[in-house]
Amino acid sequence: MPKDPRKIIIDTDPGQDDAIAILLALASPEDIEVLGITTVAGNVPLDLTSKNARIVCELAGRPDVPVFAGCDAPLVRRLVTAEHVHGKSGLDGPDLPDPEMPLQDQHGVDFIIETLRREPAGTVTLCPLGPLTNIATAFDRAPDILERVQEIVLMGGAYFEVGNITPTAEFNIYVDPEAAEIVLKSGAKITMMPLDVTHKALVTRARNEAFRALGTPVGKAVAEMTDFFERFDREKYGSDGAPLHDPTVIAWLLAPRLFTGRFINVEVETQSKLTLGMTVADWWRVTDRAPNAMFIGDLDAERFFSILTERLARL
Ligand code: RIB
Ligand code: CA
């Protein structure tokens, strides 16, 4: 008896890797039902992340997916963006048409609250792919939804990989560390995809060629996105291609056995100027702090890319 598709809300700051995560989710309707996409300021400002999310839905042939603009700035800090990684548009690389589908009138935070209150408890998974501002705001405004969340599967943080925006912090957490602290202390079931695993999901030349070889507008756009997106990591880390951070979140929903990790305590630095946004992951269990997150450290990259490419071929 086939299982019902898992109902998810994607909270996102597209971003080329966010875009590929959205495409992977929309290419898997038998496994995943995207109830809506909420956008947040992160890689680029909110107006651009909200435009880019709709561009990607239309690229996937899914202008029916409702897109809701969320918070335009972190809870208490000034917004830090990442045009140096994603380009001025946030989706540099492919030449894609402006969206025709409208943005929903409802605020993204209200959509998250309303959906969690409407759907049966424990049946909606939140998939944050950017700073956690929307999620934290929803939890703060409506604490009753906390126990109704099935699981939070997020991209963010780092331990062995340390930082990508500062020496100690990963971008999504660094942009809004107060929001990350609210989510990490929320008591929700959390699975984290940190840089420790995403830096092992690299779009090598061969993998980029496999996207292009799909011979479809989606395959071409994804190849062009990763061609652009890889510059930052190649220059900084000498990586052998773009790290597909956000698609690991969706791949976890599709094939969790591709991944390995530990259920450990993870906390975030919100005070120190030196290490602001650092995720302190007790990977070696040296403290008595209670475990609060499944912290993923590794994946079967070959199988990850073959599933991703096979699914993208369906769009
Ligand atoms: O640090 C990587 C994360 O920051 C990814 O989600 C990327 O899209 C950016 O938001
Ligand atoms: Ca992102």
Side-chain angles (χ1 to χ4, degrees):
M1 178 67 175
K3 282 192 310 160
D4 290 338
R6 189 193 276 240
K7 291 183 281 189
I8 73 170
I9 294 173
I10 297 175
D11 187 72
T12 179
D13 64 334
Q16 289 86 351
D17 60 317
D18 303 68
I20 297 167
I22 294 167
L23 291 170
L24 178 56
L26 296 180
S28 311
E30 68 281 7
D31 301 294
I32 293 173
E33 180 186 356
V34 180
L35 298 178
I37 294 175
T38 52
T39 57
V40 67
N43 286 321
V44 285
L46 182 67
D47 60 325
L48 286 176
T49 59
S50 304
K51 174 181 174 187
N52 294 340
R54 287 176 289 151
I55 287 175
V56 176
C57 287
E58 291 185 348
L59 174 64
R62 291 295 309 278
D64 58 297
V65 177
V67 176
F68 305 80
C71 297
D72 64 0
L75 296 183
V76 294
R77 295 175 188 277
R78 288 174 54 79
L79 177 63
V80 170
T81 51
E83 286 87 351
H84 61 293
V85 178
H86 299 275
K88 190 152 176 33
S89 74
L91 211 50
D92 283 26
D95 180 16
L96 297 169
D98 284 354
E100 290 178 15
M101 65 186 277
L103 201 51
Q104 299 298 311
D105 294 335
Q106 187 178 34
H107 190 283
V109 171
D110 294 328
F111 171 74
I112 291 169
I113 294 170
E114 182 187 281
T115 303
L116 283 166
R117 284 178 173 162
R118 181 190 68 240
E119 297 293 331
T123 65
V124 176
T125 293
L126 302 179
C127 297
L129 309 179
L132 290 161
T133 315
N134 288 340
I135 311 301
T137 304
F139 286 177
D140 203 39
R141 198 183 293 171
D144 61 288
I145 66 174
L146 261 172
E147 62 191 14
R148 304 182 64 82
V149 175
Q150 178 177 26
E151 180 176 11
I152 299 173
V153 186
L154 68 89
M155 189 278 142
Y159 180 59
F160 293 102
E161 285 296 294
V162 213
N164 62 355
I165 183 79
T166 72
T168 57
E170 178 279 324
F171 179 78
N172 288 341
I173 307 300
Y174 177 73
V175 169
D176 200 340
E178 283 76 12
E181 183 173 54
I182 289 170
V183 172
L184 285 169
K185 290 189 181 308
S186 67
K189 181 182 179 187
I190 297 173
T191 300
M192 289 179 79
M193 293 289 163
L195 297 180
D196 303 44
V197 62
T198 69
H199 277 181
K200 296 170 184 169
L202 300 178
V203 183
T204 60
R205 278 298 92 208
R207 290 165 179 165
N208 181 278
E209 283 314 311
F211 294 146
R212 210 177 288 275
L214 292 177
T216 60
V218 166
K220 177 172 181 289
V222 167
E224 292 167 343
M225 283 183 203
T226 51
D227 267 341
F228 181 88
F229 176 56
E230 72 172 21
R231 294 164 309 108
F232 171 77
D233 290 81
R234 273 190 188 280
E235 280 158 27
K236 174 168 184 175
Y237 297 102
S239 306
D240 183 21
L244 280 195
H245 306 292
D246 296 336
T248 61
V249 167
I250 305 303
W252 167 265
L253 303 180
L254 297 174
R257 285 181 305 285
L258 292 186
F259 299 90
T260 57
R262 292 183 183 179
F263 182 56
I264 57 173
N265 177 269
V266 182
E267 302 200 4
V268 56
E269 177 58 60
T270 60
Q271 305 303 316
S272 157
K273 277 174 66 71
L274 181 63
T275 57
L276 182 70
M278 181 175 198
T279 47
V280 181
D282 189 7
W283 183 263
W284 303 112
R285 298 190 175 102
V286 296
T287 77
D288 58 359
R289 293 197 289 259
N292 59 331
M294 173 53 88
F295 194 82
I296 301 297
D298 204 355
L299 87 166
D300 178 334
E302 274 309 307
R303 289 189 59 214
F304 166 71
F305 276 95
S306 64
I307 290 173
L308 172 61
T309 308
E310 182 271 322
R311 293 292 167 109
L312 292 177
R314 300 180 183 186
L315 293 175

Short mmCIF file of all heavy atoms in Angstrom, two decimals, residues 13 17-18 43 129-130 172 246, ligand 2:
data_model
loop_
_atom_site.label_atom_id
_atom_site.label_comp_id
_atom_site.label_asym_id
_atom_site.label_seq_id
_atom_site.Cartn_x
_atom_site.Cartn_y
_atom_site.Cartn_z
N ASP A 13 15.29 30.94 0.77
CA ASP A 13 15.86 32.24 0.33
C ASP A 13 16.60 32.04 -1.01
O ASP A 13 17.80 32.29 -1.13
CB ASP A 13 16.83 32.80 1.39
CG ASP A 13 18.05 31.90 1.63
OD1 ASP A 13 17.97 30.68 1.38
OD2 ASP A 13 19.10 32.45 2.05
N ASP A 17 20.99 26.94 -4.86
CA ASP A 17 20.82 25.61 -4.24
C ASP A 17 19.41 25.43 -3.69
O ASP A 17 18.84 24.34 -3.76
CB ASP A 17 21.89 25.35 -3.16
CG ASP A 17 21.87 26.35 -2.03
OD1 ASP A 17 21.73 27.56 -2.29
OD2 ASP A 17 22.00 25.93 -0.87
N ASP A 18 18.82 26.54 -3.18
CA ASP A 18 17.40 26.47 -2.78
C ASP A 18 16.55 26.08 -3.99
O ASP A 18 15.64 25.25 -3.89
CB ASP A 18 16.90 27.84 -2.30
CG ASP A 18 17.68 28.43 -1.16
OD1 ASP A 18 18.84 28.78 -1.36
OD2 ASP A 18 17.12 28.53 -0.06
N ASN A 43 19.93 35.03 1.27
CA ASN A 43 20.93 35.17 0.20
C ASN A 43 20.83 36.54 -0.48
O ASN A 43 21.83 37.16 -0.82
CB ASN A 43 20.73 34.08 -0.84
CG ASN A 43 21.20 32.72 -0.35
OD1 ASN A 43 22.22 32.62 0.34
ND2 ASN A 43 20.44 31.68 -0.65
N LEU A 129 15.32 26.34 4.46
CA LEU A 129 16.54 26.30 3.63
C LEU A 129 17.33 27.60 3.74
O LEU A 129 18.31 27.79 3.01
CB LEU A 129 16.17 26.04 2.17
CG LEU A 129 15.24 24.86 1.88
CD1 LEU A 129 14.96 24.76 0.38
CD2 LEU A 129 15.82 23.56 2.43
N GLY A 130 16.89 28.52 4.56
CA GLY A 130 17.55 29.82 4.73
C GLY A 130 17.59 30.19 6.20
O GLY A 130 17.41 29.32 7.07
N ASN A 172 23.20 30.52 7.05
CA ASN A 172 21.79 30.55 7.49
C ASN A 172 21.67 30.85 8.97
O ASN A 172 20.80 31.58 9.41
CB ASN A 172 21.08 29.22 7.18
CG ASN A 172 20.83 29.03 5.71
OD1 ASN A 172 20.84 29.99 4.94
ND2 ASN A 172 20.62 27.79 5.30
N ASP A 246 21.11 22.91 0.06
CA ASP A 246 19.69 22.79 0.37
C ASP A 246 19.02 21.52 -0.19
O ASP A 246 18.13 20.96 0.49
CB ASP A 246 18.94 24.04 -0.11
CG ASP A 246 19.39 25.29 0.64
OD1 ASP A 246 19.90 25.16 1.78
OD2 ASP A 246 19.26 26.39 0.10
CA CA B 2 19.26 28.71 1.16
#
